[in-house]
Amino acid sequence: PKPEQKSSLSEDLKDLSKNIPWIIMLVVTTLIFITLAMKGGSYVYYFENYVDKAQITAFLDPIKPYLPTFENDTAMGLGVFNGGGILIGLIGIMWSKKLADKFGKRNVFMASLFVSTLFILVFYFYPPQSVGLMFLTQILHMFFYGISTPILWTMIADVADYSEWKNNRRATAIIFAAMMIGLKGGLSIGSALLTKILNIFDYQPGSTTGQSAETINGIKMLVSVFPSISFFIAFGLLFFYEINKNMEGQIQSDLEKRRG
């Protein structure tokens, strides 16, 4: 904020209540982290109860000498699945700025979110033996999701600029603080949903006889259908987010003149 700006919580909250892009981004942030908590927490159940263990062993055999020691091949498969996805996500992040500069942040964010959601959804259709397809799908999902990762936070910064542009008052701190509430809220809701859904589908911890067909179906939906829902809702909300590439330029130009 400008040194002469007087801070006021009531004015900041009033500005936020009229800032539609901020409201959209708050909800989108919450929805994204609901998905991340839900699918991230359910992979362990997916590997332990659904994925074919013999196929995991066969898939990992060529790279085992280069991997650290794990408790068993299922744990190793889950480690490679998650770790490899993170590395590919970093490659997606490196493409993020170039694409956003060319096509606009909102458009790239929407496209990457939509495509990455499709790669979550298809997990429901894979049989237990399709280990190679599962790993390939995870790689593609994380690449496209990685593109969206830094854009989320730069869009929140755009929301702060939009607030200043509209209200002639800077409120960056409260805007980012509120987004962190959305992030933590999303993680909490997603984790709670994971536990609730496992309970609904009668998951039996430590069962020696295996899970029922209904429970296995619930676990499949936890890594595919259920986390896709919040991603798709977030994608739909972004159609109402008005800060496109042209408006970004207009806001920056007007703020520079005003500050200058």
Side-chain angles (χ1 to χ4, degrees):
K2 296 176 182 179
E4 63 271 19
Q5 178 180 310
K6 293 182 179 179
S7 296
S8 165
L9 179 60
S10 61
E11 287 190 68
D12 284 347
L13 293 175
K14 184 179 178 181
D15 290 347
L16 289 184
S17 69
K18 298 182 292 185
N19 191 334
I20 302 302
W22 171 78
I23 295 171
I24 291 172
M25 289 308 300
L26 176 62
V27 177
V28 165
T29 301
T30 304
L31 289 168
I32 285 173
F33 281 91
I34 287 173
T35 289
L36 296 183
M38 198 186 304
K39 75 179 182 68
S42 59
Y43 284 142
V44 63
Y45 302 100
Y46 186 71
F47 271 77
E48 286 182 353
N49 299 282
Y50 182 71
V51 183
D52 187 278
K53 292 175 173 53
Q55 289 297 320
I56 293 176
T57 300
F59 182 80
L60 293 175
D61 268 344
I63 60 173
K64 269 186 182 180
Y66 309 101
L67 297 175
T69 302
F70 286 83
E71 182 182 352
N72 52 52
D73 285 355
T74 300
M76 184 182 294
L78 180 60
V80 174
F81 184 85
N82 285 327
I86 290 170
L87 291 176
I88 297 299
L90 293 174
I91 296 173
I93 286 172
M94 290 189 288
W95 279 86
S96 185
K97 185 179 185 304
K98 183 182 293 186
L99 292 170
D101 287 346
K102 185 172 183 179
F103 300 106
K105 297 170 194 170
R106 185 194 68 170
N107 293 343
V108 174
F109 189 80
M110 290 177 69
S112 63
L113 199 61
F114 180 76
V115 176
S116 67
T117 306
L118 295 180
F119 285 117
I120 296 175
L121 193 57
V122 295
F123 271 96
Y124 183 78
F125 303 100
Y126 291 150
Q129 298 78 22
S130 297
V131 174
L133 274 176
M134 293 172 188
F135 276 76
L136 176 61
T137 303
Q138 170 73 344
I139 285 171
L140 292 171
H141 161 66
M142 288 302 295
F143 173 78
F144 284 101
Y145 175 69
I147 293 172
S148 74
T149 304
I151 296 178
L152 171 66
W153 303 104
T154 57
M155 287 173 71
I156 295 169
D158 288 342
V159 167
D161 287 341
Y162 176 88
S163 180
E164 180 183 359
W165 184 60
K166 279 284 189 181
N167 304 304
N168 204 29
R169 292 183 72 258
R170 191 81 185 165
T172 307
I174 195 170
I175 286 172
F176 273 88
M179 291 302 172
M180 294 306 296
I181 292 173
L183 183 156
K184 292 178 183 294
L187 291 175
S188 300
I189 294 168
S191 299
L193 285 172
L194 169 65
T195 305
K196 182 68 175 177
I197 292 168
L198 285 172
N199 185 52
I200 290 172
F201 284 93
D202 197 30
Y203 175 75
Q204 300 297 319
S207 173
T208 57
T209 58
Q211 306 294 334
S212 68
E214 180 188 11
T215 304
I216 295 296
N217 188 55
I219 291 171
K220 285 172 61 181
M221 293 179 74
L222 263 173
V223 299
S224 56
V225 177
F226 293 131
S228 297
I229 293 171
S230 45
F231 258 25
F232 273 131
I233 295 172
F235 168 76
L237 283 173
L238 289 166
F239 280 102
F240 303 96
Y241 179 82
E242 61 181 299
I243 307 176
N244 56 25
K245 189 178 181 184
N246 291 334
M247 184 179 280
E248 285 174 33
Q250 183 65 50
I251 290 172
Q252 289 300 320
S253 175
D254 290 350
L255 289 180
E256 285 172 9
K257 291 175 184 176
R258 194 183 298 173
R259 293 165 182 164

mmCIF file of all heavy atoms in Angstrom, residues 25-50:
data_model
loop_
_atom_site.group_PDB
_atom_site.id
_atom_site.type_symbol
_atom_site.label_atom_id
_atom_site.label_comp_id
_atom_site.label_asym_id
_atom_site.label_seq_id
_atom_site.Cartn_x
_atom_site.Cartn_y
_atom_site.Cartn_z
ATOM 1 N N MET A 25 -11.770 -16.882 -6.855
ATOM 2 C CA MET A 25 -10.478 -17.508 -6.613
ATOM 3 C C MET A 25 -10.409 -18.169 -5.238
ATOM 4 O O MET A 25 -9.743 -19.185 -5.062
ATOM 5 C CB MET A 25 -9.345 -16.489 -6.768
ATOM 6 C CG MET A 25 -9.087 -16.056 -8.206
ATOM 7 S SD MET A 25 -8.861 -17.436 -9.352
ATOM 8 C CE MET A 25 -7.442 -18.275 -8.660
ATOM 9 N N LEU A 26 -11.107 -17.606 -4.259
ATOM 10 C CA LEU A 26 -11.160 -18.232 -2.936
ATOM 11 C C LEU A 26 -11.841 -19.595 -3.024
ATOM 12 O O LEU A 26 -11.347 -20.594 -2.479
ATOM 13 C CB LEU A 26 -11.898 -17.326 -1.953
ATOM 14 C CG LEU A 26 -12.114 -17.891 -0.551
ATOM 15 C CD1 LEU A 26 -10.788 -18.170 0.143
ATOM 16 C CD2 LEU A 26 -12.970 -16.938 0.288
ATOM 17 N N VAL A 27 -12.977 -19.641 -3.724
ATOM 18 C CA VAL A 27 -13.706 -20.907 -3.867
ATOM 19 C C VAL A 27 -12.890 -21.893 -4.705
ATOM 20 O O VAL A 27 -12.808 -23.091 -4.374
ATOM 21 C CB VAL A 27 -15.089 -20.659 -4.496
ATOM 22 C CG1 VAL A 27 -15.820 -21.983 -4.708
ATOM 23 C CG2 VAL A 27 -15.930 -19.735 -3.625
ATOM 24 N N VAL A 28 -12.281 -21.410 -5.785
ATOM 25 C CA VAL A 28 -11.465 -22.268 -6.649
ATOM 26 C C VAL A 28 -10.292 -22.861 -5.862
ATOM 27 O O VAL A 28 -9.997 -24.060 -5.968
ATOM 28 C CB VAL A 28 -10.959 -21.477 -7.880
ATOM 29 C CG1 VAL A 28 -9.830 -22.226 -8.592
ATOM 30 C CG2 VAL A 28 -12.102 -21.215 -8.852
ATOM 31 N N THR A 29 -9.618 -22.036 -5.073
ATOM 32 C CA THR A 29 -8.497 -22.523 -4.258
ATOM 33 C C THR A 29 -8.960 -23.616 -3.300
ATOM 34 O O THR A 29 -8.305 -24.660 -3.161
ATOM 35 C CB THR A 29 -7.868 -21.363 -3.456
ATOM 36 O OG1 THR A 29 -7.403 -20.362 -4.362
ATOM 37 C CG2 THR A 29 -6.711 -21.842 -2.599
ATOM 38 N N THR A 30 -10.088 -23.391 -2.639
ATOM 39 C CA THR A 30 -10.619 -24.395 -1.711
ATOM 40 C C THR A 30 -10.927 -25.700 -2.444
ATOM 41 O O THR A 30 -10.563 -26.790 -1.983
ATOM 42 C CB THR A 30 -11.891 -23.865 -1.029
ATOM 43 O OG1 THR A 30 -11.600 -22.619 -0.386
ATOM 44 C CG2 THR A 30 -12.414 -24.855 0.003
ATOM 45 N N LEU A 31 -11.573 -25.605 -3.602
ATOM 46 C CA LEU A 31 -11.942 -26.804 -4.369
ATOM 47 C C LEU A 31 -10.716 -27.573 -4.836
ATOM 48 O O LEU A 31 -10.684 -28.814 -4.787
ATOM 49 C CB LEU A 31 -12.802 -26.403 -5.568
ATOM 50 C CG LEU A 31 -14.221 -25.920 -5.254
ATOM 51 C CD1 LEU A 31 -14.846 -25.277 -6.476
ATOM 52 C CD2 LEU A 31 -15.083 -27.085 -4.755
ATOM 53 N N ILE A 32 -9.690 -26.851 -5.288
ATOM 54 C CA ILE A 32 -8.473 -27.509 -5.771
ATOM 55 C C ILE A 32 -7.817 -28.304 -4.651
ATOM 56 O O ILE A 32 -7.406 -29.460 -4.840
ATOM 57 C CB ILE A 32 -7.501 -26.471 -6.369
ATOM 58 C CG1 ILE A 32 -8.005 -26.020 -7.739
ATOM 59 C CG2 ILE A 32 -6.078 -27.048 -6.487
ATOM 60 C CD1 ILE A 32 -7.217 -24.889 -8.346
ATOM 61 N N PHE A 33 -7.758 -27.730 -3.466
ATOM 62 C CA PHE A 33 -7.086 -28.431 -2.373
ATOM 63 C C PHE A 33 -7.960 -29.522 -1.760
ATOM 64 O O PHE A 33 -7.440 -30.442 -1.124
ATOM 65 C CB PHE A 33 -6.570 -27.428 -1.342
ATOM 66 C CG PHE A 33 -5.296 -26.771 -1.795
ATOM 67 C CD1 PHE A 33 -5.339 -25.585 -2.510
ATOM 68 C CD2 PHE A 33 -4.073 -27.364 -1.559
ATOM 69 C CE1 PHE A 33 -4.165 -24.989 -2.967
ATOM 70 C CE2 PHE A 33 -2.905 -26.778 -2.011
ATOM 71 C CZ PHE A 33 -2.941 -25.594 -2.715
ATOM 72 N N ILE A 34 -9.270 -29.458 -1.966
ATOM 73 C CA ILE A 34 -10.122 -30.599 -1.622
ATOM 74 C C ILE A 34 -9.722 -31.800 -2.481
ATOM 75 O O ILE A 34 -9.540 -32.917 -1.989
ATOM 76 C CB ILE A 34 -11.614 -30.255 -1.830
ATOM 77 C CG1 ILE A 34 -12.104 -29.309 -0.734
ATOM 78 C CG2 ILE A 34 -12.465 -31.534 -1.842
ATOM 79 C CD1 ILE A 34 -13.517 -28.794 -0.956
ATOM 80 N N THR A 35 -9.572 -31.559 -3.786
ATOM 81 C CA THR A 35 -9.169 -32.631 -4.694
ATOM 82 C C THR A 35 -7.797 -33.176 -4.334
ATOM 83 O O THR A 35 -7.590 -34.395 -4.281
ATOM 84 C CB THR A 35 -9.166 -32.124 -6.150
ATOM 85 O OG1 THR A 35 -10.509 -31.917 -6.584
ATOM 86 C CG2 THR A 35 -8.516 -33.136 -7.087
ATOM 87 N N LEU A 36 -6.833 -32.290 -4.090
ATOM 88 C CA LEU A 36 -5.474 -32.739 -3.804
ATOM 89 C C LEU A 36 -5.429 -33.602 -2.543
ATOM 90 O O LEU A 36 -4.735 -34.623 -2.493
ATOM 91 C CB LEU A 36 -4.538 -31.536 -3.653
ATOM 92 C CG LEU A 36 -4.345 -30.674 -4.911
ATOM 93 C CD1 LEU A 36 -3.348 -29.557 -4.635
ATOM 94 C CD2 LEU A 36 -3.877 -31.515 -6.089
ATOM 95 N N ALA A 37 -6.162 -33.199 -1.509
ATOM 96 C CA ALA A 37 -6.180 -33.978 -0.264
ATOM 97 C C ALA A 37 -6.871 -35.317 -0.467
ATOM 98 O O ALA A 37 -6.409 -36.353 0.030
ATOM 99 C CB ALA A 37 -6.883 -33.186 0.832
ATOM 100 N N MET A 38 -7.954 -35.320 -1.230
ATOM 101 C CA MET A 38 -8.721 -36.539 -1.414
ATOM 102 C C MET A 38 -7.957 -37.573 -2.233
ATOM 103 O O MET A 38 -7.791 -38.729 -1.829
ATOM 104 C CB MET A 38 -10.062 -36.209 -2.092
ATOM 105 C CG MET A 38 -11.101 -37.307 -1.945
ATOM 106 S SD MET A 38 -12.611 -36.982 -2.877
ATOM 107 C CE MET A 38 -13.074 -35.381 -2.227
ATOM 108 N N LYS A 39 -7.462 -37.158 -3.392
ATOM 109 C CA LYS A 39 -6.772 -38.144 -4.245
ATOM 110 C C LYS A 39 -5.403 -38.499 -3.681
ATOM 111 O O LYS A 39 -4.982 -39.651 -3.745
ATOM 112 C CB LYS A 39 -6.668 -37.652 -5.683
ATOM 113 C CG LYS A 39 -5.644 -36.582 -5.982
ATOM 114 C CD LYS A 39 -5.651 -36.216 -7.452
ATOM 115 C CE LYS A 39 -4.588 -35.165 -7.773
ATOM 116 N NZ LYS A 39 -3.220 -35.685 -7.626
ATOM 117 N N GLY A 40 -4.700 -37.523 -3.091
ATOM 118 C CA GLY A 40 -3.396 -37.812 -2.512
ATOM 119 C C GLY A 40 -3.477 -38.805 -1.373
ATOM 120 O O GLY A 40 -2.629 -39.698 -1.227
ATOM 121 N N GLY A 41 -4.529 -38.685 -0.555
ATOM 122 C CA GLY A 41 -4.692 -39.592 0.571
ATOM 123 C C GLY A 41 -5.231 -40.952 0.190
ATOM 124 O O GLY A 41 -5.084 -41.920 0.948
ATOM 125 N N SER A 42 -5.862 -41.068 -0.978
ATOM 126 C CA SER A 42 -6.496 -42.335 -1.350
ATOM 127 C C SER A 42 -5.579 -43.258 -2.145
ATOM 128 O O SER A 42 -5.877 -44.454 -2.288
ATOM 129 C CB SER A 42 -7.770 -42.058 -2.156
ATOM 130 O OG SER A 42 -7.473 -41.313 -3.323
ATOM 131 N N TYR A 43 -4.451 -42.760 -2.660
ATOM 132 C CA TYR A 43 -3.571 -43.605 -3.467
ATOM 133 C C TYR A 43 -3.056 -44.813 -2.680
ATOM 134 O O TYR A 43 -2.901 -45.905 -3.236
ATOM 135 C CB TYR A 43 -2.382 -42.802 -3.998
ATOM 136 C CG TYR A 43 -2.710 -41.891 -5.161
ATOM 137 C CD1 TYR A 43 -2.128 -40.629 -5.266
ATOM 138 C CD2 TYR A 43 -3.586 -42.293 -6.161
ATOM 139 C CE1 TYR A 43 -2.425 -39.792 -6.328
ATOM 140 C CE2 TYR A 43 -3.889 -41.463 -7.233
ATOM 141 C CZ TYR A 43 -3.301 -40.204 -7.304
ATOM 142 O OH TYR A 43 -3.592 -39.376 -8.353
ATOM 143 N N VAL A 44 -2.774 -44.614 -1.391
ATOM 144 C CA VAL A 44 -2.270 -45.739 -0.599
ATOM 145 C C VAL A 44 -3.292 -46.863 -0.535
ATOM 146 O O VAL A 44 -2.939 -48.066 -0.612
ATOM 147 C CB VAL A 44 -1.844 -45.258 0.811
ATOM 148 C CG1 VAL A 44 -3.041 -44.703 1.591
ATOM 149 C CG2 VAL A 44 -1.177 -46.394 1.581
ATOM 150 N N TYR A 45 -4.570 -46.535 -0.413
ATOM 151 C CA TYR A 45 -5.620 -47.559 -0.388
ATOM 152 C C TYR A 45 -5.767 -48.210 -1.761
ATOM 153 O O TYR A 45 -6.027 -49.408 -1.861
ATOM 154 C CB TYR A 45 -6.953 -46.932 0.036
ATOM 155 C CG TYR A 45 -6.891 -46.267 1.390
ATOM 156 C CD1 TYR A 45 -6.738 -44.889 1.510
ATOM 157 C CD2 TYR A 45 -6.959 -47.023 2.555
ATOM 158 C CE1 TYR A 45 -6.675 -44.278 2.751
ATOM 159 C CE2 TYR A 45 -6.893 -46.435 3.802
ATOM 160 C CZ TYR A 45 -6.745 -45.045 3.889
ATOM 161 O OH TYR A 45 -6.666 -44.455 5.130
ATOM 162 N N TYR A 46 -5.601 -47.423 -2.803
ATOM 163 C CA TYR A 46 -5.697 -47.911 -4.185
ATOM 164 C C TYR A 46 -4.603 -48.945 -4.456
ATOM 165 O O TYR A 46 -4.872 -50.024 -4.996
ATOM 166 C CB TYR A 46 -5.567 -46.713 -5.121
ATOM 167 C CG TYR A 46 -5.788 -46.992 -6.585
ATOM 168 C CD1 TYR A 46 -7.061 -47.289 -7.082
ATOM 169 C CD2 TYR A 46 -4.740 -46.915 -7.498
ATOM 170 C CE1 TYR A 46 -7.271 -47.501 -8.432
ATOM 171 C CE2 TYR A 46 -4.929 -47.127 -8.847
ATOM 172 C CZ TYR A 46 -6.201 -47.415 -9.317
ATOM 173 O OH TYR A 46 -6.396 -47.627 -10.657
ATOM 174 N N PHE A 47 -3.367 -48.631 -4.064
ATOM 175 C CA PHE A 47 -2.263 -49.556 -4.311
ATOM 176 C C PHE A 47 -2.348 -50.799 -3.429
ATOM 177 O O PHE A 47 -2.057 -51.912 -3.881
ATOM 178 C CB PHE A 47 -0.922 -48.844 -4.097
ATOM 179 C CG PHE A 47 -0.403 -48.172 -5.337
ATOM 180 C CD1 PHE A 47 -0.926 -46.961 -5.768
ATOM 181 C CD2 PHE A 47 0.599 -48.755 -6.089
ATOM 182 C CE1 PHE A 47 -0.460 -46.335 -6.914
ATOM 183 C CE2 PHE A 47 1.078 -48.145 -7.249
ATOM 184 C CZ PHE A 47 0.553 -46.938 -7.668
ATOM 185 N N GLU A 48 -2.743 -50.620 -2.187
ATOM 186 C CA GLU A 48 -2.772 -51.756 -1.269
ATOM 187 C C GLU A 48 -3.919 -52.720 -1.561
ATOM 188 O O GLU A 48 -3.797 -53.934 -1.326
ATOM 189 C CB GLU A 48 -2.880 -51.258 0.166
ATOM 190 C CG GLU A 48 -1.599 -50.653 0.706
ATOM 191 C CD GLU A 48 -1.738 -50.207 2.157
ATOM 192 O OE1 GLU A 48 -2.879 -50.254 2.679
ATOM 193 O OE2 GLU A 48 -0.734 -49.786 2.749
ATOM 194 N N ASN A 49 -5.031 -52.215 -2.057
ATOM 195 C CA ASN A 49 -6.237 -53.044 -2.168
ATOM 196 C C ASN A 49 -6.699 -53.328 -3.595
ATOM 197 O O ASN A 49 -7.521 -54.227 -3.784
ATOM 198 C CB ASN A 49 -7.392 -52.371 -1.416
ATOM 199 C CG ASN A 49 -7.115 -52.192 0.055
ATOM 200 O OD1 ASN A 49 -7.224 -53.126 0.835
ATOM 201 N ND2 ASN A 49 -6.731 -50.975 0.444
ATOM 202 N N TYR A 50 -6.189 -52.588 -4.574
ATOM 203 C CA TYR A 50 -6.720 -52.753 -5.926
ATOM 204 C C TYR A 50 -5.658 -53.131 -6.950
ATOM 205 O O TYR A 50 -5.842 -54.079 -7.719
ATOM 206 C CB TYR A 50 -7.422 -51.460 -6.367
ATOM 207 C CG TYR A 50 -8.032 -51.561 -7.745
ATOM 208 C CD1 TYR A 50 -9.158 -52.359 -7.958
ATOM 209 C CD2 TYR A 50 -7.475 -50.891 -8.838
ATOM 210 C CE1 TYR A 50 -9.717 -52.479 -9.223
ATOM 211 C CE2 TYR A 50 -8.030 -50.999 -10.097
ATOM 212 C CZ TYR A 50 -9.147 -51.797 -10.294
ATOM 213 O OH TYR A 50 -9.687 -51.919 -11.544
#
